[in-house]
Amino acid sequence: MIQIYRLTMRFPSGIEALRDVSLRVHEGELVFLSGRSGAGKTTLFDLVTAELRPTEGQILVAGRNLATLKTAQVPFLRRGIGRLWEDIRLLPDRSVHNNISVSLEISGVDARQAKRRVDQVLELVGMEKHAASYPSWLSSAEQQRVALARAIVHEPSLVLADEPTGHLDPDAAHAILQMLRDLKSRGTTVVIATRDARLPARFEERVIVLNKGFLIEDDGETTSAGGV
Ligand SMILES: Nc1ncnc2c1ncn2[C@@H]1O[C@H](COP(=O)(O)OP(=O)(O)OP(=O)(O)O)[C@@H](O)[C@H]1O
Ligand SMILES: [Mg+2]
């Protein structure tokens, strides 16, 4: 699903957020991307969604080489990727329902079908009673559930969850992680970035560790393996 080969990201400031990173995430895997603050986790997600272009190296997502992706194809790439942002990013002036339906409408889904689909995903995350609420009325845990509903409304084959438990108490964190694992069990590839090194230990899933931009650990496979 994701193939990364010798990836380096150097910002104009000279900071190297990623240094010679190679990894593969296979279809249907759930992987924790662990590392301290500043390790390069969010930068890696930005590269996979083509928000950033790498300084060096190659990225393939679902077989598509991002280096040769035309600007017009970027929305299609992103539609296949559900993203949870560290800062959640719900639109404050729109209802929960609208927060989720807006991207469906942009991609041309008709209003009735969009409503049905939004109702479905809200039910999936247990937020169906809050469809008419505004984000500021919700707790952090509820906001994160809505963000998850938004991330999966296009039925993406890949979900990138950036610090999804950062704002949550242990029970709410567990619930969100369980929902992400349910996605995996339905065949979705899931990558969970976290700076909480203890979090992955609670699950028997693959862990990749970044440190200062270097990939220092990958218990899933040998990182030197193969190109793209
Ligand atoms: N747009 C940018 N311009 C310059 N430097 C950046 C930019 N974005 C990130 N960086 C730098 O790249 C490094 C990695 O940042 P990144 O946000 O990817 O880390 P992270 O692992 O997501 O950290 P956190 O756990 O705090 O979210 C940091 O040193 C950061 O300052
Ligand atoms: Mg980050």
Side-chain angles (χ1 to χ4, degrees):
M1 176 59 64
I2 305 175
Q3 292 166 273
I4 287 175
Y5 182 63
R6 303 207 67 172
L7 187 67
T8 291
M9 182 69 212
R10 192 178 309 115
F11 287 106
S13 58
I15 289 174
E16 287 196 338
L18 292 168
R19 311 183 206 207
D20 202 14
V21 168
S22 297
L23 63 92
R24 289 169 183 230
V25 177
H26 299 283
E27 231 177 280
E29 258 192 312
L30 185 149
V31 180
F32 283 99
L33 180 65
S34 169
R36 291 184 184 175
S37 187
K41 304 178 297 292
T42 301
T43 302
L44 188 69
F45 283 179
D46 287 342
L47 286 160
V48 168
T49 54
E51 319 271 342
L52 292 173
R53 295 269 174 188
T55 314
E56 285 167 51
Q58 270 198 318
I59 309 167
L60 275 80
V61 178
R64 278 187 277 199
N65 188 337
L66 302 195
T68 58
L69 200 69
K70 305 252 184 331
T71 310
Q73 294 171 313
V74 171
F76 296 100
L77 168 81
R78 293 195 188 142
R79 219 164 280 166
I81 303 174
R83 193 160 177 190
L84 286 177
W85 276 273
E86 262 180 290
D87 54 357
I88 304 183
R89 293 194 193 177
L90 297 173
L91 301 169
D93 55 345
R94 286 175 182 262
S95 69
V96 162
H97 195 284
N98 267 338
N99 261 279
I100 302 167
S101 66
V102 65
S103 75
L104 287 174
E105 282 159 23
I106 289 169
S107 55
V109 177
D110 77 71
R112 258 187 46 205
Q113 216 181 335
K115 183 176 178 332
R116 208 171 36 234
R117 183 72 195 128
V118 173
D119 289 344
Q120 269 173 5
V121 286
L122 280 176
E123 203 172 315
L124 206 64
V125 300
M127 288 295 290
E128 64 277 10
K129 292 200 178 96
H130 295 273
S133 303
Y134 282 82
S136 63
W137 303 354
L138 305 178
S139 71
S140 301
E142 289 166 340
Q143 289 181 19
Q144 194 59 271
R145 282 168 185 255
V146 174
L148 181 59
R150 179 185 55 186
I152 62 176
V153 74
H154 284 286
E155 301 189 312
S157 49
L158 171 65
V159 168
L160 304 177
D162 204 345
E163 209 67 53
T165 60
H167 306 272
L168 309 182
D169 67 44
D171 285 349
H174 186 82
I176 281 285
L177 287 172
Q178 196 48 51
M179 286 179 214
L180 291 166
R181 296 178 90 205
D182 289 346
L183 287 177
K184 174 202 171 184
S185 65
R186 288 201 299 272
T188 309
T189 310
V190 181
V191 184
I192 302 172
T194 181
R195 64 181 84 88
D196 178 359
R198 290 163 308 174
L199 191 70
R202 288 191 233 140
F203 302 91
E204 286 185 359
E205 305 284 1
R206 180 174 163 202
V207 185
I208 296 172
V209 184
L210 288 176
N211 184 25
K212 297 179 181 159
F214 291 105
L215 194 159
I216 57 163
E217 201 182 310
D218 183 352
D219 63 12
E221 59 181 8
T222 51
T223 56
S224 57
V228 282

